[in-house]
Amino acid sequence: MTSLIRHLSAATMSPRAPGSMTPDRMVAHSLVVERADGITLVDTGFGTADLAQRRMGKAFIGLMGLDLDPASTALHQLEALGYKAGDVTDIVVTHLDLDHAGGLGDFPDAKVHVFSDELAAARASKALREKNRYIQAQWAHNPTWVEHSVEGDSWLGFDSVAAIDEDVLLVPTRGHTRGHCAVAVRRPSGGWFLHAGDAYFNTGEKNTPPTCPSGLTMFQNLVQMDKKARHENADRLRSLHAEHGPGSGSSEVVTMFCAHDAAEFDALKDVTN
C-alpha cells in the first residue's frame, strides 16, 4: 500500500534554442513511491556515472544546457531525505532513453520494470535514432529486469494495461519509442498520478486544441519511432485529461504530467499525497 509519494526532478536542463522555440528550463520528473516494504521509483533521470563520465556526450550536454551537479541525481536527493540506495526495491521506467534510465546503476539491487518491446529495442538499437538515444552502459550492471507484455486489463479507456500491483500500472503509449509507457500510480488521498513520460513534452499538449513550442514539436517529430501511434496516444491522453483531469468532476481524478515540463513539476513538487 502506498503511504507517500514524492516528486523529484533528477535533472535540470536549459536548452540552447533561439527565442521561444523551447522552454527556458526543463526537468526530469521522477516519482518516489514510498511503501511499507520499500521504495518504487518511476524514472531515474541521469545517474551519478552519467554526470561524472559525461556519458551523454558534449553535444547533448551543450545543446540541452544540462546541469552536471551530482546533487541533482535521484540517489543524492533520496540520501538527503534519509534513504539508502538499497531502500529502492523497484524501478519503473516509462522508456529507456538516456535521460530516463541513467540512474539505474545507482540502485543496482532494484528490480527494473519495463515493457518487453522497449527492452528489446534498447538492446538491439537497430535504427539510427535508437543508437543515439540509448546508452547501454547505463544498464551494464545487469539489473534484474522484469519484462511486462502489452496485455491485461483496461484502465480509463486504455487497453492492455499491465499491473505491477494494485497501485502501479503500466499504460501502453508507444510511439516516442517502440515500447513507451505511461505509469499510473494510485494516490493515498484518492485518484491517480499519471506519469506520461515523453508521450508529450509540454503541458499545453493536454489541451484541445493542443499547443507546444515549435522546437519541442520538431524534436518529437524527429525522434519518434511510430508517428501514427504517437499521435493516437496523444489524443487518448487529451481525452483522459478532459474526462478525468482535476476539475472534470470525475469520481476517478487523474493528475497527469510529462517528464520534462517544468511548470507541471513546480505545481506538484510539494504534493505528497
Side-chain angles (χ1 to χ4, degrees):
M1 184 72 178
T2 300
S3 59
L4 188 71
I5 300 173
R6 299 180 189 271
H7 297 260
L8 301 181
S9 174
T12 299
M13 294 166 278
S14 302
R16 307 292 195 234
S20 59
M21 289 184 65
T22 60
D24 293 333
R25 169 174 156 256
M26 296 175 69
V27 300
H29 201 148
S30 298
L31 283 181
V32 179
V33 184
E34 300 183 11
R35 318 168 71 93
D37 56 352
I39 290 173
T40 297
L41 187 62
V42 181
D43 273 2
T44 69
F46 293 108
T48 55
D50 290 325
L51 303 186
Q53 301 170 22
R54 310 297 198 262
R55 291 197 295 206
M56 304 75 69
K58 289 183 179 179
F60 180 93
I61 293 170
L63 182 64
M64 296 305 298
L66 177 63
D67 184 350
L68 297 171
D69 184 356
S72 66
T73 63
L75 174 61
H76 280 245
Q77 292 185 68
L78 284 173
E79 288 176 339
L81 291 169
Y83 296 104
K84 303 182 296 294
D87 294 329
V88 177
T89 59
D90 296 84
I91 298 173
V92 187
V93 287
T94 58
H95 59 305
L96 290 168
D97 274 357
L98 74 168
D99 53 336
H100 295 257
L104 293 181
D106 289 335
F107 309 99
D109 298 325
K111 293 179 290 186
V112 182
H113 299 265
V114 62
F115 273 136
S116 55
D117 287 350
E118 180 66 12
L119 182 57
R123 284 171 166 168
S125 295
K126 291 181 179 180
L128 178 60
R129 282 167 291 179
E130 291 171 314
K131 294 182 189 301
N132 293 331
R133 76 194 314 155
Y134 297 125
I135 299 178
Q136 299 201 17
Q138 291 178 334
W139 54 86
H141 61 291
N142 294 318
T144 301
W145 298 105
V146 182
E147 297 185 52
H148 297 267
S149 57
V150 182
E151 60 184 22
D153 298 326
S154 297
W155 179 78
L156 301 181
F158 286 83
D159 297 323
S160 303
V161 173
I164 292 175
D165 56 40
E166 63 180 8
D167 294 326
V168 181
L169 311 175
L170 293 178
V171 183
T173 49
R174 66 186 300 270
H176 178 70
T177 63
R178 300 182 196 271
H180 188 282
C181 69
V183 181
V185 179
R186 192 187 305 273
R187 300 177 63 172
S189 60
W192 299 83
F193 283 124
L194 183 67
H195 191 316
D198 286 357
Y200 70 94
F201 272 66
N202 183 268
T203 190
E205 295 180 75
K206 294 187 296 190
N207 301 326
T208 303
T211 60
C212 184
S214 60
L216 293 184
T217 298
M218 291 169 59
F219 178 77
Q220 292 183 80
N221 291 336
L222 179 67
V223 302
Q224 65 192 1
M225 295 307 301
D226 188 325
K227 177 180 178 180
K228 182 174 183 290
R230 184 174 74 83
H231 284 278
E232 287 176 348
N233 282 315
D235 288 341
R236 295 168 76 192
L237 289 172
R238 271 190 289 278
S239 295
L240 178 69
H241 179 64
E243 296 168 10
H244 295 280
S248 64
S250 171
S251 60
E252 196 86 62
V253 175
V254 178
T255 302
M256 180 168 59
F257 56 89
C258 66
H260 299 303
D261 188 279
E264 289 182 338
F265 173 73
D266 290 343
L268 292 170
K269 63 183 180 181
D270 296 324
V271 176
T272 57
N273 61 4

Short mmCIF file of all heavy atoms in Angstrom, two decimals, residues 53-117:
data_model
loop_
_atom_site.label_atom_id
_atom_site.label_comp_id
_atom_site.label_asym_id
_atom_site.label_seq_id
_atom_site.Cartn_x
_atom_site.Cartn_y
_atom_site.Cartn_z
N GLN A 53 31.12 10.89 -15.80
CA GLN A 53 31.82 10.46 -17.01
C GLN A 53 31.36 11.19 -18.26
O GLN A 53 31.89 10.93 -19.35
CB GLN A 53 31.63 8.95 -17.19
CG GLN A 53 32.15 8.12 -16.05
CD GLN A 53 31.74 6.65 -16.15
OE1 GLN A 53 31.42 6.15 -17.24
NE2 GLN A 53 31.74 5.95 -15.03
N ARG A 54 30.38 12.10 -18.12
CA ARG A 54 29.84 12.83 -19.26
C ARG A 54 29.38 11.86 -20.36
O ARG A 54 29.66 12.03 -21.53
CB ARG A 54 30.86 13.81 -19.83
CG ARG A 54 31.53 14.73 -18.82
CD ARG A 54 30.52 15.66 -18.13
NE ARG A 54 31.17 16.79 -17.50
CZ ARG A 54 31.49 16.86 -16.20
NH1 ARG A 54 31.22 15.83 -15.40
NH2 ARG A 54 32.04 17.95 -15.70
N ARG A 55 28.68 10.81 -19.95
CA ARG A 55 28.32 9.74 -20.89
C ARG A 55 27.34 10.20 -21.97
O ARG A 55 27.20 9.55 -23.00
CB ARG A 55 27.70 8.55 -20.13
CG ARG A 55 28.70 7.81 -19.27
CD ARG A 55 28.25 6.42 -18.85
NE ARG A 55 27.11 6.38 -17.98
CZ ARG A 55 26.86 5.37 -17.13
NH1 ARG A 55 27.73 4.35 -17.03
NH2 ARG A 55 25.79 5.37 -16.39
N MET A 56 26.66 11.31 -21.75
CA MET A 56 25.69 11.80 -22.72
C MET A 56 26.36 12.44 -23.93
O MET A 56 25.72 12.63 -24.96
CB MET A 56 24.75 12.81 -22.07
CG MET A 56 24.04 12.28 -20.83
SD MET A 56 25.10 12.18 -19.36
CE MET A 56 25.37 13.87 -18.98
N GLY A 57 27.64 12.82 -23.80
CA GLY A 57 28.37 13.44 -24.89
C GLY A 57 28.32 14.96 -24.82
O GLY A 57 27.36 15.55 -24.32
N LYS A 58 29.37 15.60 -25.33
CA LYS A 58 29.47 17.05 -25.27
C LYS A 58 28.34 17.74 -26.02
O LYS A 58 27.83 18.78 -25.58
CB LYS A 58 30.81 17.50 -25.84
CG LYS A 58 32.02 17.15 -24.96
CD LYS A 58 33.30 17.70 -25.58
CE LYS A 58 34.51 17.39 -24.71
NZ LYS A 58 35.77 17.90 -25.30
N ALA A 59 27.94 17.17 -27.16
CA ALA A 59 26.90 17.82 -27.97
C ALA A 59 25.59 17.87 -27.20
O ALA A 59 24.93 18.92 -27.16
CB ALA A 59 26.72 17.07 -29.29
N PHE A 60 25.19 16.76 -26.59
CA PHE A 60 23.94 16.72 -25.83
C PHE A 60 24.02 17.67 -24.65
O PHE A 60 23.10 18.46 -24.40
CB PHE A 60 23.65 15.30 -25.35
CG PHE A 60 22.38 15.17 -24.56
CD1 PHE A 60 21.18 14.83 -25.18
CD2 PHE A 60 22.36 15.40 -23.18
CE1 PHE A 60 20.00 14.73 -24.46
CE2 PHE A 60 21.19 15.29 -22.45
CZ PHE A 60 20.00 14.96 -23.09
N ILE A 61 25.13 17.61 -23.91
CA ILE A 61 25.27 18.46 -22.72
C ILE A 61 25.19 19.92 -23.09
O ILE A 61 24.52 20.73 -22.43
CB ILE A 61 26.61 18.13 -22.01
CG1 ILE A 61 26.55 16.71 -21.43
CG2 ILE A 61 26.89 19.15 -20.91
CD1 ILE A 61 27.89 16.21 -20.91
N GLY A 62 25.86 20.30 -24.18
CA GLY A 62 25.85 21.69 -24.60
C GLY A 62 24.52 22.14 -25.14
O GLY A 62 24.01 23.21 -24.77
N LEU A 63 23.91 21.34 -26.01
CA LEU A 63 22.64 21.70 -26.62
C LEU A 63 21.53 21.81 -25.59
O LEU A 63 20.69 22.72 -25.65
CB LEU A 63 22.26 20.67 -27.69
CG LEU A 63 20.96 20.92 -28.46
CD1 LEU A 63 21.07 22.20 -29.27
CD2 LEU A 63 20.63 19.73 -29.36
N MET A 64 21.53 20.90 -24.63
CA MET A 64 20.47 20.88 -23.63
C MET A 64 20.78 21.75 -22.42
O MET A 64 19.91 21.94 -21.56
CB MET A 64 20.21 19.44 -23.17
CG MET A 64 19.69 18.52 -24.26
SD MET A 64 18.19 19.17 -25.06
CE MET A 64 17.05 19.22 -23.68
N GLY A 65 22.01 22.29 -22.33
CA GLY A 65 22.35 23.10 -21.17
C GLY A 65 22.19 22.32 -19.88
O GLY A 65 21.64 22.81 -18.90
N LEU A 66 22.70 21.09 -19.87
CA LEU A 66 22.49 20.19 -18.74
C LEU A 66 23.31 20.60 -17.52
O LEU A 66 24.53 20.81 -17.62
CB LEU A 66 22.86 18.76 -19.14
CG LEU A 66 22.76 17.69 -18.06
CD1 LEU A 66 21.32 17.53 -17.59
CD2 LEU A 66 23.30 16.35 -18.59
N ASP A 67 22.66 20.71 -16.38
CA ASP A 67 23.34 20.97 -15.11
C ASP A 67 23.99 19.67 -14.66
O ASP A 67 23.31 18.65 -14.48
CB ASP A 67 22.31 21.44 -14.08
CG ASP A 67 22.93 21.82 -12.74
OD1 ASP A 67 24.13 21.55 -12.53
OD2 ASP A 67 22.21 22.38 -11.90
N LEU A 68 25.30 19.68 -14.45
CA LEU A 68 26.04 18.47 -14.13
C LEU A 68 26.28 18.29 -12.63
O LEU A 68 27.12 17.49 -12.23
CB LEU A 68 27.38 18.47 -14.88
CG LEU A 68 27.26 18.45 -16.41
CD1 LEU A 68 28.62 18.68 -17.05
CD2 LEU A 68 26.65 17.15 -16.89
N ASP A 69 25.54 19.00 -11.81
CA ASP A 69 25.70 18.88 -10.36
C ASP A 69 25.21 17.51 -9.89
O ASP A 69 24.04 17.17 -10.08
CB ASP A 69 24.89 19.99 -9.68
CG ASP A 69 25.07 20.00 -8.17
OD1 ASP A 69 25.75 19.11 -7.62
OD2 ASP A 69 24.50 20.92 -7.52
N PRO A 70 26.09 16.68 -9.28
CA PRO A 70 25.65 15.36 -8.82
C PRO A 70 24.55 15.41 -7.77
O PRO A 70 23.85 14.42 -7.57
CB PRO A 70 26.93 14.73 -8.27
CG PRO A 70 27.85 15.87 -7.99
CD PRO A 70 27.51 16.92 -9.01
N ALA A 71 24.38 16.54 -7.12
CA ALA A 71 23.30 16.66 -6.12
C ALA A 71 21.93 16.57 -6.76
O ALA A 71 20.92 16.36 -6.07
CB ALA A 71 23.44 17.97 -5.36
N SER A 72 21.86 16.72 -8.11
CA SER A 72 20.57 16.66 -8.79
C SER A 72 20.10 15.23 -9.03
O SER A 72 18.94 15.01 -9.40
CB SER A 72 20.66 17.38 -10.14
OG SER A 72 21.54 16.69 -11.03
N THR A 73 20.95 14.24 -8.85
CA THR A 73 20.55 12.86 -9.13
C THR A 73 19.54 12.36 -8.12
O THR A 73 19.48 12.83 -6.98
CB THR A 73 21.77 11.92 -9.12
OG1 THR A 73 22.35 11.92 -7.80
CG2 THR A 73 22.81 12.35 -10.14
N ALA A 74 18.74 11.39 -8.55
CA ALA A 74 17.75 10.81 -7.64
C ALA A 74 18.41 10.20 -6.42
O ALA A 74 17.90 10.31 -5.30
CB ALA A 74 16.92 9.76 -8.39
N LEU A 75 19.57 9.55 -6.61
CA LEU A 75 20.27 8.94 -5.48
C LEU A 75 20.62 9.97 -4.42
O LEU A 75 20.34 9.79 -3.24
CB LEU A 75 21.53 8.23 -5.97
CG LEU A 75 22.44 7.67 -4.86
CD1 LEU A 75 21.71 6.62 -4.04
CD2 LEU A 75 23.73 7.10 -5.45
N HIS A 76 21.24 11.07 -4.83
CA HIS A 76 21.65 12.09 -3.86
C HIS A 76 20.43 12.71 -3.18
O HIS A 76 20.48 13.01 -1.97
CB HIS A 76 22.49 13.17 -4.55
CG HIS A 76 23.90 12.75 -4.77
ND1 HIS A 76 24.98 13.37 -4.16
CD2 HIS A 76 24.45 11.78 -5.53
CE1 HIS A 76 26.10 12.80 -4.53
NE2 HIS A 76 25.81 11.83 -5.37
N GLN A 77 19.36 12.92 -3.92
CA GLN A 77 18.17 13.51 -3.31
C GLN A 77 17.52 12.56 -2.32
O GLN A 77 17.03 12.99 -1.27
CB GLN A 77 17.18 13.92 -4.41
CG GLN A 77 17.68 15.09 -5.25
CD GLN A 77 16.64 15.57 -6.24
OE1 GLN A 77 15.61 16.11 -5.86
NE2 GLN A 77 16.89 15.35 -7.53
N LEU A 78 17.51 11.28 -2.64
CA LEU A 78 16.97 10.31 -1.69
C LEU A 78 17.84 10.21 -0.44
O LEU A 78 17.32 10.12 0.69
CB LEU A 78 16.84 8.94 -2.35
CG LEU A 78 15.67 8.78 -3.32
CD1 LEU A 78 15.75 7.44 -4.05
CD2 LEU A 78 14.34 8.89 -2.60
N GLU A 79 19.15 10.24 -0.63
CA GLU A 79 20.05 10.21 0.53
C GLU A 79 19.84 11.43 1.42
O GLU A 79 19.90 11.33 2.65
CB GLU A 79 21.50 10.12 0.06
CG GLU A 79 21.86 8.76 -0.52
CD GLU A 79 23.28 8.71 -1.07
OE1 GLU A 79 23.85 9.78 -1.37
OE2 GLU A 79 23.81 7.60 -1.20
N ALA A 80 19.56 12.57 0.80
CA ALA A 80 19.30 13.79 1.58
C ALA A 80 18.02 13.67 2.40
O ALA A 80 17.86 14.34 3.43
CB ALA A 80 19.21 15.00 0.65
N LEU A 81 17.12 12.79 1.95
CA LEU A 81 15.87 12.54 2.68
C LEU A 81 16.03 11.45 3.74
O LEU A 81 15.08 11.14 4.45
CB LEU A 81 14.77 12.14 1.70
CG LEU A 81 14.27 13.24 0.76
CD1 LEU A 81 13.38 12.65 -0.34
CD2 LEU A 81 13.52 14.32 1.53
N GLY A 82 17.22 10.87 3.81
CA GLY A 82 17.49 9.85 4.82
C GLY A 82 17.41 8.42 4.33
O GLY A 82 17.49 7.49 5.14
N TYR A 83 17.25 8.21 3.03
CA TYR A 83 17.16 6.86 2.49
C TYR A 83 18.51 6.39 1.95
O TYR A 83 19.42 7.19 1.71
CB TYR A 83 16.12 6.82 1.35
CG TYR A 83 14.73 7.13 1.81
CD1 TYR A 83 14.15 8.37 1.55
CD2 TYR A 83 13.99 6.18 2.53
CE1 TYR A 83 12.86 8.66 1.98
CE2 TYR A 83 12.70 6.47 2.96
CZ TYR A 83 12.14 7.71 2.69
OH TYR A 83 10.88 8.00 3.12
N LYS A 84 18.62 5.09 1.74
CA LYS A 84 19.79 4.48 1.13
C LYS A 84 19.40 3.91 -0.22
O LYS A 84 18.22 3.64 -0.48
CB LYS A 84 20.34 3.37 2.03
CG LYS A 84 20.69 3.81 3.44
CD LYS A 84 21.28 2.67 4.24
CE LYS A 84 20.30 1.52 4.45
NZ LYS A 84 19.15 1.88 5.27
N ALA A 85 20.40 3.67 -1.06
CA ALA A 85 20.13 3.10 -2.39
C ALA A 85 19.38 1.79 -2.27
O ALA A 85 18.49 1.49 -3.08
CB ALA A 85 21.44 2.91 -3.14
N GLY A 86 19.72 0.99 -1.27
CA GLY A 86 19.09 -0.31 -1.10
C GLY A 86 17.62 -0.25 -0.72
O GLY A 86 16.92 -1.27 -0.80
N ASP A 87 17.15 0.93 -0.31
CA ASP A 87 15.73 1.06 0.02
C ASP A 87 14.86 1.06 -1.24
O ASP A 87 13.65 0.82 -1.14
CB ASP A 87 15.48 2.36 0.79
CG ASP A 87 16.13 2.36 2.17
OD1 ASP A 87 16.25 1.27 2.76
OD2 ASP A 87 16.53 3.44 2.63
N VAL A 88 15.47 1.33 -2.40
CA VAL A 88 14.72 1.31 -3.66
C VAL A 88 14.66 -0.14 -4.14
O VAL A 88 15.65 -0.70 -4.59
CB VAL A 88 15.39 2.21 -4.72
CG1 VAL A 88 14.64 2.11 -6.05
CG2 VAL A 88 15.41 3.66 -4.25
N THR A 89 13.49 -0.73 -4.02
CA THR A 89 13.32 -2.14 -4.38
C THR A 89 12.88 -2.32 -5.83
O THR A 89 13.14 -3.36 -6.43
CB THR A 89 12.30 -2.82 -3.46
OG1 THR A 89 11.04 -2.12 -3.58
CG2 THR A 89 12.76 -2.77 -2.01
N ASP A 90 12.19 -1.31 -6.38
CA ASP A 90 11.65 -1.41 -7.73
C ASP A 90 11.81 -0.08 -8.45
O ASP A 90 11.62 0.99 -7.86
CB ASP A 90 10.16 -1.78 -7.69
CG ASP A 90 9.90 -3.15 -7.11
OD1 ASP A 90 9.83 -3.25 -5.86
OD2 ASP A 90 9.80 -4.11 -7.89
N ILE A 91 12.15 -0.17 -9.73
CA ILE A 91 12.19 1.00 -10.61
C ILE A 91 11.28 0.71 -11.80
O ILE A 91 11.37 -0.37 -12.41
CB ILE A 91 13.61 1.31 -11.10
CG1 ILE A 91 14.53 1.64 -9.92
CG2 ILE A 91 13.59 2.46 -12.11
CD1 ILE A 91 15.98 1.80 -10.30
N VAL A 92 10.41 1.64 -12.10
CA VAL A 92 9.52 1.52 -13.27
C VAL A 92 9.95 2.59 -14.26
O VAL A 92 9.97 3.77 -13.92
CB VAL A 92 8.05 1.71 -12.88
CG1 VAL A 92 7.15 1.42 -14.08
CG2 VAL A 92 7.67 0.83 -11.70
N VAL A 93 10.32 2.19 -15.47
CA VAL A 93 10.75 3.17 -16.47
C VAL A 93 9.66 3.35 -17.51
O VAL A 93 9.07 2.39 -18.00
CB VAL A 93 12.07 2.74 -17.15
CG1 VAL A 93 13.24 2.91 -16.20
CG2 VAL A 93 12.02 1.32 -17.66
N THR A 94 9.40 4.62 -17.86
CA THR A 94 8.48 4.89 -18.95
C THR A 94 9.08 4.41 -20.27
O THR A 94 8.37 3.95 -21.15
CB THR A 94 8.15 6.39 -19.05
OG1 THR A 94 9.35 7.14 -19.25
CG2 THR A 94 7.45 6.88 -17.78
N HIS A 95 10.40 4.52 -20.38
CA HIS A 95 11.17 4.02 -21.51
C HIS A 95 12.64 4.13 -21.14
O HIS A 95 12.97 4.61 -20.05
CB HIS A 95 10.84 4.75 -22.81
CG HIS A 95 11.08 6.22 -22.81
ND1 HIS A 95 10.54 7.09 -21.88
CD2 HIS A 95 11.83 7.02 -23.63
CE1 HIS A 95 10.91 8.33 -22.14
NE2 HIS A 95 11.71 8.31 -23.20
N LEU A 96 13.52 3.69 -22.01
CA LEU A 96 14.93 3.58 -21.65
C LEU A 96 15.81 4.62 -22.32
O LEU A 96 17.03 4.44 -22.41
CB LEU A 96 15.43 2.17 -21.97
CG LEU A 96 14.89 1.06 -21.06
CD1 LEU A 96 15.19 -0.31 -21.63
CD2 LEU A 96 15.46 1.18 -19.66
N ASP A 97 15.25 5.73 -22.77
CA ASP A 97 16.07 6.82 -23.27
C ASP A 97 17.08 7.25 -22.22
O ASP A 97 16.84 7.12 -21.01
CB ASP A 97 15.19 8.03 -23.64
CG ASP A 97 14.65 7.95 -25.06
OD1 ASP A 97 15.00 7.00 -25.79
OD2 ASP A 97 13.86 8.84 -25.44
N LEU A 98 18.19 7.83 -22.68
CA LEU A 98 19.31 8.14 -21.80
C LEU A 98 18.94 9.04 -20.62
O LEU A 98 19.55 8.93 -19.54
CB LEU A 98 20.44 8.79 -22.59
CG LEU A 98 20.30 10.24 -23.08
CD1 LEU A 98 21.67 10.74 -23.57
CD2 LEU A 98 19.28 10.42 -24.16
N ASP A 99 17.94 9.92 -20.79
CA ASP A 99 17.57 10.84 -19.72
C ASP A 99 16.49 10.28 -18.80
O ASP A 99 15.99 11.00 -17.92
CB ASP A 99 17.14 12.19 -20.29
CG ASP A 99 16.05 12.07 -21.34
OD1 ASP A 99 15.92 11.00 -21.97
OD2 ASP A 99 15.31 13.06 -21.57
N HIS A 100 16.15 9.02 -18.98
CA HIS A 100 15.15 8.38 -18.13
C HIS A 100 15.71 7.18 -17.38
O HIS A 100 15.20 6.81 -16.33
CB HIS A 100 13.95 7.93 -18.97
CG HIS A 100 13.20 9.07 -19.57
ND1 HIS A 100 12.00 9.54 -19.09
CD2 HIS A 100 13.49 9.86 -20.63
CE1 HIS A 100 11.60 10.58 -19.82
NE2 HIS A 100 12.49 10.78 -20.76
N ALA A 101 16.76 6.58 -17.92
CA ALA A 101 17.31 5.34 -17.35
C ALA A 101 18.71 5.51 -16.80
O ALA A 101 19.34 4.52 -16.38
CB ALA A 101 17.30 4.24 -18.41
N GLY A 102 19.23 6.73 -16.78
CA GLY A 102 20.62 6.93 -16.36
C GLY A 102 20.90 6.54 -14.93
O GLY A 102 22.03 6.18 -14.59
N GLY A 103 19.90 6.63 -14.07
CA GLY A 103 20.12 6.34 -12.66
C GLY A 103 19.98 4.88 -12.28
O GLY A 103 20.09 4.53 -11.10
N LEU A 104 19.74 3.99 -13.25
CA LEU A 104 19.56 2.58 -12.91
C LEU A 104 20.75 2.03 -12.13
O LEU A 104 20.59 1.27 -11.16
CB LEU A 104 19.34 1.74 -14.17
CG LEU A 104 18.05 1.99 -14.96
CD1 LEU A 104 17.99 1.07 -16.18
CD2 LEU A 104 16.81 1.81 -14.08
N GLY A 105 21.96 2.39 -12.55
CA GLY A 105 23.14 1.87 -11.90
C GLY A 105 23.34 2.36 -10.48
O GLY A 105 24.12 1.76 -9.72
N ASP A 106 22.66 3.43 -10.09
CA ASP A 106 22.75 3.93 -8.71
C ASP A 106 21.93 3.07 -7.75
O ASP A 106 22.09 3.19 -6.52
CB ASP A 106 22.25 5.37 -8.63
CG ASP A 106 23.21 6.36 -9.28
OD1 ASP A 106 24.42 6.05 -9.37
OD2 ASP A 106 22.74 7.44 -9.71
N PHE A 107 21.06 2.21 -8.29
CA PHE A 107 20.21 1.34 -7.47
C PHE A 107 20.36 -0.10 -7.99
O PHE A 107 19.41 -0.67 -8.54
CB PHE A 107 18.76 1.81 -7.54
CG PHE A 107 18.59 3.28 -7.24
CD1 PHE A 107 18.47 4.21 -8.27
CD2 PHE A 107 18.59 3.74 -5.93
CE1 PHE A 107 18.33 5.56 -8.01
CE2 PHE A 107 18.45 5.10 -5.65
CZ PHE A 107 18.32 6.02 -6.69
N PRO A 108 21.54 -0.68 -7.87
CA PRO A 108 21.84 -1.94 -8.55
C PRO A 108 21.02 -3.13 -8.09
O PRO A 108 20.92 -4.12 -8.83
CB PRO A 108 23.33 -2.15 -8.24
CG PRO A 108 23.57 -1.38 -6.97
CD PRO A 108 22.68 -0.18 -7.07
N ASP A 109 20.43 -3.06 -6.92
CA ASP A 109 19.66 -4.19 -6.40
C ASP A 109 18.18 -4.11 -6.74
O ASP A 109 17.42 -5.04 -6.44
CB ASP A 109 19.83 -4.30 -4.88
CG ASP A 109 21.27 -4.55 -4.47
OD1 ASP A 109 21.98 -5.26 -5.21
OD2 ASP A 109 21.69 -4.01 -3.43
N ALA A 110 17.76 -3.02 -7.35
CA ALA A 110 16.34 -2.83 -7.64
C ALA A 110 15.91 -3.65 -8.85
O ALA A 110 16.67 -3.80 -9.82
CB ALA A 110 16.05 -1.35 -7.89
N LYS A 111 14.70 -4.16 -8.81
CA LYS A 111 14.08 -4.77 -9.99
C LYS A 111 13.63 -3.64 -10.92
O LYS A 111 13.09 -2.64 -10.46
CB LYS A 111 12.88 -5.63 -9.58
CG LYS A 111 13.24 -6.87 -8.77
CD LYS A 111 12.01 -7.67 -8.38
CE LYS A 111 11.19 -6.93 -7.34
NZ LYS A 111 10.05 -7.76 -6.84
N VAL A 112 13.85 -3.82 -12.22
CA VAL A 112 13.52 -2.78 -13.19
C VAL A 112 12.38 -3.26 -14.07
O VAL A 112 12.52 -4.23 -14.82
CB VAL A 112 14.74 -2.40 -14.06
CG1 VAL A 112 14.36 -1.28 -15.03
CG2 VAL A 112 15.92 -1.98 -13.19
N HIS A 113 11.24 -2.59 -13.98
CA HIS A 113 10.04 -2.97 -14.71
C HIS A 113 9.98 -2.19 -16.02
O HIS A 113 10.11 -0.96 -16.04
CB HIS A 113 8.79 -2.66 -13.88
CG HIS A 113 8.75 -3.40 -12.58
ND1 HIS A 113 8.06 -4.60 -12.44
CD2 HIS A 113 9.31 -3.14 -11.37
CE1 HIS A 113 8.18 -5.03 -11.19
NE2 HIS A 113 8.94 -4.16 -10.53
N VAL A 114 9.75 -2.91 -17.12
CA VAL A 114 9.77 -2.30 -18.45
C VAL A 114 8.94 -3.16 -19.39
O VAL A 114 8.83 -4.37 -19.19
CB VAL A 114 11.23 -2.18 -18.96
CG1 VAL A 114 11.89 -3.54 -19.10
CG2 VAL A 114 11.31 -1.38 -20.25
N PHE A 115 8.35 -2.53 -20.41
CA PHE A 115 7.70 -3.31 -21.44
C PHE A 115 8.75 -4.06 -22.25
O PHE A 115 9.81 -3.51 -22.57
CB PHE A 115 6.85 -2.43 -22.36
CG PHE A 115 5.44 -2.19 -21.87
CD1 PHE A 115 4.88 -0.93 -21.92
CD2 PHE A 115 4.68 -3.24 -21.37
CE1 PHE A 115 3.59 -0.71 -21.47
CE2 PHE A 115 3.39 -3.02 -20.92
CZ PHE A 115 2.84 -1.76 -20.97
N SER A 116 8.45 -5.31 -22.57
CA SER A 116 9.43 -6.15 -23.27
C SER A 116 9.82 -5.56 -24.62
O SER A 116 10.99 -5.67 -25.04
CB SER A 116 8.87 -7.57 -23.46
OG SER A 116 7.62 -7.54 -24.12
N ASP A 117 8.90 -4.89 -25.32
CA ASP A 117 9.23 -4.27 -26.60
C ASP A 117 10.28 -3.17 -26.43
O ASP A 117 11.14 -2.99 -27.29
CB ASP A 117 7.98 -3.67 -27.25
CG ASP A 117 7.03 -4.72 -27.80
OD1 ASP A 117 7.42 -5.91 -27.86
OD2 ASP A 117 5.90 -4.36 -28.16
#
